Every structure is written in structure tokens, then in C-alpha cells.
Amino acid sequence: MKVVNSILDNRSCFLFFLSVTLHLLASTVPSASAKTHYHDFVVQATKVKRLCKTHNSITVNGMFPGPTLEVNNGDSLVINVQNRARYNLTIHWHGIRQMRTAWADGPEFVTQCPIRPGGSYTYRFTIQGQEGTLWWHAHSSWLRATVYGALIIRPKEGSSYPFPKPKRETPLLLGEWWDANPIDVVRRATRTGASPKISDAYTINGQPGDLYNCSAKDTIIVPIDSGETHLLRVINAALNQPLFFTIASHQFTVVGADASYLKPFTTSVIMLGPGQTTDVLISGDKPPARYYIAARAYQSAQNAPFDKTTTTAILEYKSAPCPAKGLSSNPIMPALPAFNDTPTVTVFSRSLKSPQKVEVPTDIDESLFFTVGLGLNACPKNARARNCQGPNGTRFTASMNNVSFVLPSTFSLLQAHYNSIPGVFTTDFPAKPPVKFDYTGNVSRSLWQPVRGTKLYKLKYGSRVQLVIQDTSIVTPENHPIHLHGYDFYIIAEGFGNFNPKKDKSKFNLVDPPLRNTVAVPSNGWAVIRFVADNPGVWIMHCHLDVHITWGLAMAFLVEDGVGELQTLQAPPGDLPAC
């Protein structure tokens, strides 16, 4: 399937860029209309029926997915989370910059200790200069399989979108469903060393859709009128699977991703890695009928099992003719890309650009090179075979720069940093791979087993950072969605094979690269990102395929305080959960 770029005439381009410029200038001016939104999240077990069976699923306020939060740029949020479930819990506000409020970021044992069953914690933070679609989710074990929801940030009051205002807006959260307890699934995988059981369905707003058993009557319906424009806020909340997303017979105009605006372009399909969001406009310009909205896997890892099913919702024109009595009106089904259609993914990702020239860091202080990928640990001595069910009697693992990340268990990393507690972490994470090798070729088996450690990389406040993220072919190459907490970054280039600094610098886009919080590193390839370390704290960077973070595909940056109050991490709140 081809992705087709739209061609805007010079006049419309100029007007769009002018609109974005004025809009961004307005977003930097303090607003007297900023509000504080208060919410209570009660996390508890709720009976949820899917695929013919009822499970006691962990939800927020009895809802699956959880509540949608709607705010304006500049607003503050105060969210009291009460844990009435039987598992430890934290909530992460995915993509929120958390300027100086790292205590509210949420990853377990990174910025806080978990909220124990029966406990509570209030997250307090302010939205600063971000607009578009983000989301929130649990950041403990695999609770985010059911604990997640949309976080919509609209322009400040009195401001507008840098595109024609749509008549309707609909968040569409793509999820992954197990006909089992997801915590049991990951615990079994951890115990056996094998890969976890694949999901049984994908979902749109919590519903699998009518291609699955016992699911037809609850299929999500998205209404549209002929002639109207509709903004779809698409979120990939799946645990382990990048997903293609399309609507039969309709084109998307892509206008935003990860709460940053983009130069509009048209396409018939988008791809989102777990954690990523994409805002698209659709027009009600097709014959009135019912059209399937569909999502299914993009699978880049060779010979790895994955869920091959397709989730659907229905785009329904209000003026669509009613079916004759006793007959059903089957929606029109779209053509979906092949599961391994990397060319479509590549064309789509390379179409993402900022609306205008941006200030990309150029004089680099920290030039980093991180390899990412899987690995295999030898079966420990005296271990039983049932605990070594990976390939050839091994246990799956994963790493960055040959370090498999280990979370602490007695203090969070941020607490240890703030209170100068020794022995919790070290700051010797390598700036480049300890051994240089043919990253995407035949890798020596001696490099398949990483070292375990809780290693951080220290950055001075204000450092201008360039990071090359290189996929490896250890076990299998794969498209890895790498998410950096506390920061947005510019994706200035991506490519296939081994990154070559001499040849590949010519591919750098230092004019209008996209600003994102999660980068889909190409399978058997690389991506280059840049950011300024202007937010003090400890910030985890990890693969958003949850099975990979479980195996250790993560690291963390320790960003030091700068000068003065505005460059200094705030003190921890009084109700921060104790370990």
C-alpha cells in the first residue's frame, strides 16, 4: 500500500505556516485563564467481559479504558490515585514534560516507589507548551493492559488549532487483550524465561469489534455527517505490538503526533508503535454507508509469534440507508498492509515533519551511541529446565549497550539521587557499546549475553545531546519504539543497516524534523535524536514493548540541577509513597 503525500499550493502553505507561527507565539505567553483540574482515580478490580468470558480486570473508576482527561495548554492537573487493587501500582502521564516535577512522572522505582494496595498518592503537574494527544497508563508490571486512558490537550482559551476546526473529535485507543490475567502472563514468562503468551485480541476503545467471537454488539461506532471534518486522536496503548491503522475508502490528513503539530500530509494508513499517538483529520466525502475502521499488527521480528487478528470499529454516516428488514448492512472492509510491510512504515515515518523551521540543537555537548536489542542468558547452574524455556535452554533478556537494566527495590532512583543515598545506582552507563561489532550482521554468540546493572548516564543541565539508537540482529532485529520520559526530542534521521557517521550525516534534517517522545527505531536500522537536557531529575528511556522492558531494554539519564530555582528539581511531595 502506498503512502501518498499531499501537495499544498504556495499560498495555502504560507497561510498554514503563518497560523502555526502565531499559534506557537501565543502558547508561550502566560494565560490568566489557566485552570486546575481535580480528579480521583480509584484503581480496583472490575468484572469485564470480552471474547465470551468475564475477567476481574484492574480498571480506573470501573471503566475500561479509563477516563479521558481533557485540558488546555497551561492548565494544571491534580489527580488523587487510590489503589484498591491487589497489586502495586503507579500511573505515568505519557509524554507530559513534567518540568521540575519528576516526582509526578510515575514509573515504578524510577521516580517513585509504588502505591501499595490500600494506599494513595496525588500526582500534581502543569501542562507547559504542549498541545495535541497524549495518554496515561499504569507503569507497574503489565497493569497497563487495562489501566490506561486518553489525555487531550487543547490550545489555550482564545487560541485555535493551526488547521480548520473539526466539527467532531474522537479519541481512539488501540489496545491489546488477553483472555487471561495479564499479570499472570508476565509472571509465567519471568519464571520460565520464555517469551510471554501472545494476546488474544486487539481492541479499539476497549472493544475487539465484530470480527471476534461475542463482540459484534459492542463494536465501537464513530458517527460522521456528509461534508463534515472529523479529528481522530489515535493512541497505541497496546502492550507489545506496533499497529497499522486505516479506514476503508478514506484518506487521513496527518496533523499531529505525540502532542506536537506536524506539516499536514495525506495517507491511507498510519503506523503507531506502542506509546505513540497520531492526530488525523478525515472528511465525510464518501457515499453514505458504513466503513470499517481497522487495526492489525506490524510485525518486524522474524520468526517471532504474534497476534494476527484484526480489531475493528465502524465509521457510520448518519445518512447511511437503513438495511432492509431482516438484513444486515456489512461495513466496507479496508485493504490492510501486509504484517511485514516495512516499506509502508518507512514512507510514513519519513513524511513526518514539523510545520516550520525549528531550533534543533547543533553544537553538541554529548554525542551518544546506544545499541538496543534482545539477548539470551545461559541457564543458571542448578536451575530446572522448566525455568529455562528460551531458545536452546536459555532465558530471554534484552539490553542497551550490553547492559540489561535492573530496577532497584528499596528506593526509587530519584529518591536515591535527591537524598544522596549510596548503593542504589551507579553513573557509569557507557556512552557507546563496550565492543564495536557488525550490529545488523552475524553477531558473535559471545555478545548475546548482556551484563545486568542499574547504571545511569549523567548529563549536565543544558547539555545539547545527540543520541544514535542502533537496532541489532542479536536473536532477531525488530522495530523498537523507544520512549524517553521527561523530554520531547527531534528525530533528525533514520535509516537501515549500521549507522555510518561519515555517510549518514548527509541525511540529517536540521530544518523541520518532527518533535516526538517515542521513536520507532527501524528494524535492522537506526534513528538519530537530539534534545537539550533542560529538565532536572532521573528519566528512564526504554522500549515501549513491555515484554522488552521486562527483560531489561532500558536505561536512565540523571540530569543535574542547573542554576537557580527554575533549573532545580522541586522537593518531593509529602505523600510520596514509601518503599
Side-chain angles (χ1 to χ4, degrees), residues 238-507:
L239 252 72
N240 295 316
Q241 192 62 59
L243 293 166
F244 288 114
F245 176 87
T246 190
I247 300 179
S249 305
H250 288 70
Q251 290 277 303
F252 301 134
T253 299
V254 179
V255 294
D258 291 359
S260 291
Y261 293 118
L262 294 170
K263 189 176 299 180
F265 67 95
T266 59
T267 176
S268 58
V269 63
I270 62 176
M271 193 285 285
L272 304 95
Q276 293 184 319
T277 73
T278 306
D279 293 342
V280 300
L281 297 172
I282 60 170
S283 297
D285 56 1
K286 295 295 179 284
R290 304 170 82 227
Y291 299 86
Y292 269 130
I293 301 168
R296 77 172 185 185
Y298 164 52
Q299 180 67 359
S300 59
Q302 298 176 1
N303 303 318
F306 66 98
D307 183 346
K308 297 180 176 65
T309 62
T310 300
T311 181
T312 56
I314 297 172
L315 182 71
E316 184 174 79
Y317 280 71
K318 290 189 172 182
S319 54
C322 294
K325 187 175 181 180
L327 298 177
S328 63
S329 174
N330 291 325
I332 300 167
M333 176 62 81
L336 281 152
F339 293 122
N340 62 349
D341 190 350
T342 293
T344 286
V345 174
T346 303
V347 173
F348 172 70
S349 65
R350 292 180 180 176
S351 300
L352 305 175
K353 298 181 187 302
S354 288
Q356 59 185 7
K357 189 179 188 308
V358 292
E359 294 297 322
V360 183
T362 51
D363 297 325
I364 301 301
D365 303 304
E366 296 274 1
S367 186
L368 308 175
F369 188 103
F370 292 177
T371 55
V372 299
L374 305 185
L376 297 173
N377 281 333
C379 193
K381 291 182 179 179
N382 302 321
R384 298 182 178 181
R386 68 188 183 192
N387 296 325
C388 299
Q389 295 183 25
N392 301 315
T394 60
R395 293 178 56 84
F396 273 109
T397 185
S399 66
M400 289 189 178
N401 275 359
N402 204 46
V403 179
S404 188
F405 193 67
V406 179
L407 288 170
S409 59
T410 54
F411 297 96
S412 74
L413 296 172
L414 189 61
Q415 286 172 302
H417 162 58
Y418 187 84
N419 296 303
S420 301
I421 301 170
V424 179
F425 63 83
T426 59
T427 55
D428 57 346
F429 186 87
K432 59 183 180 181
V435 178
K436 188 175 181 179
F437 59 97
D438 182 3
Y439 308 113
T440 56
N442 293 319
V443 182
S444 167
R445 288 297 180 109
S446 64
L447 296 170
W448 283 40
Q449 181 159 328
V451 298
R452 288 166 52 85
T454 309
K455 299 175 182 288
L456 278 56
Y457 191 90
K458 188 180 290 187
L459 294 172
K460 290 186 180 299
Y461 184 93
S463 295
R464 291 157 295 192
V465 182
Q466 174 177 294
L467 170 59
V468 178
I469 308 173
Q470 173 74 59
D471 185 33
T472 67
S473 56
I474 298 176
V475 183
T476 180
E478 190 167 2
N479 184 291
H480 294 277
I482 302 297
H483 172 47
L484 175 58
H485 288 227
Y487 286 89
D488 289 327
F489 47 75
Y490 290 109
I491 305 173
I492 64 169
E494 59 181 47
F496 292 97
N498 297 333
F499 176 74
N500 184 323
K502 293 181 180 179
K503 294 181 180 179
D504 291 328
K505 281 187 178 179
S506 63
K507 301 174 183 175

Side-chain angles (χ1 to χ4, degrees), residues 99-363:
M99 299 300 292
R100 302 177 55 237
T101 53
W103 306 106
D105 189 44
E108 185 179 53
F109 289 114
V110 178
T111 59
Q112 68 169 96
C113 294
I115 308 169
R116 307 290 181 183
S120 66
Y121 178 47
T122 300
Y123 294 89
R124 300 173 175 87
F125 55 91
T126 298
I127 312 296
Q128 300 186 45
Q130 295 181 280
E131 295 179 12
T133 305
L134 295 175
W135 62 302
W136 57 265
H137 61 81
H139 213 296
S140 302
S141 186
W142 276 21
L143 284 179
R144 81 171 180 88
T146 53
V147 179
Y148 62 84
L151 202 172
I152 296 170
I153 308 171
R154 295 196 172 88
K156 292 182 178 181
E157 290 189 15
S159 300
S160 60
Y161 297 126
F163 47 79
K165 184 178 180 180
K167 183 175 181 181
R168 303 175 194 270
E169 299 183 14
T170 301
L172 294 176
L173 294 103
L174 312 180
E176 207 166 358
W177 178 263
W178 277 262
D179 201 9
N181 181 346
I183 303 298
D184 291 342
V185 172
V186 68
R187 284 178 174 175
R188 184 181 187 282
T190 301
R191 184 173 64 252
T192 63
S195 58
K197 175 184 179 293
I198 62 172
S199 57
D200 296 289
Y202 301 114
T203 58
I204 297 176
N205 288 355
Q207 295 294 340
D210 56 12
L211 302 185
Y212 297 89
N213 291 335
C214 306
S215 303
K217 69 182 180 66
D218 294 314
T219 299
I220 297 296
I221 305 292
V222 178
I224 192 169
D225 272 334
S226 292
E228 79 175 23
T229 301
H230 199 134
L231 175 62
L232 301 179
R233 301 176 178 273
V234 189
I235 301 165
N236 187 352
L239 252 72
N240 295 316
Q241 192 62 59
L243 293 166
F244 288 114
F245 176 87
T246 190
I247 300 179
S249 305
H250 288 70
Q251 290 277 303
F252 301 134
T253 299
V254 179
V255 294
D258 291 359
S260 291
Y261 293 118
L262 294 170
K263 189 176 299 180
F265 67 95
T266 59
T267 176
S268 58
V269 63
I270 62 176
M271 193 285 285
L272 304 95
Q276 293 184 319
T277 73
T278 306
D279 293 342
V280 300
L281 297 172
I282 60 170
S283 297
D285 56 1
K286 295 295 179 284
R290 304 170 82 227
Y291 299 86
Y292 269 130
I293 301 168
R296 77 172 185 185
Y298 164 52
Q299 180 67 359
S300 59
Q302 298 176 1
N303 303 318
F306 66 98
D307 183 346
K308 297 180 176 65
T309 62
T310 300
T311 181
T312 56
I314 297 172
L315 182 71
E316 184 174 79
Y317 280 71
K318 290 189 172 182
S319 54
C322 294
K325 187 175 181 180
L327 298 177
S328 63
S329 174
N330 291 325
I332 300 167
M333 176 62 81
L336 281 152
F339 293 122
N340 62 349
D341 190 350
T342 293
T344 286
V345 174
T346 303
V347 173
F348 172 70
S349 65
R350 292 180 180 176
S351 300
L352 305 175
K353 298 181 187 302
S354 288
Q356 59 185 7
K357 189 179 188 308
V358 292
E359 294 297 322
V360 183
T362 51
D363 297 325

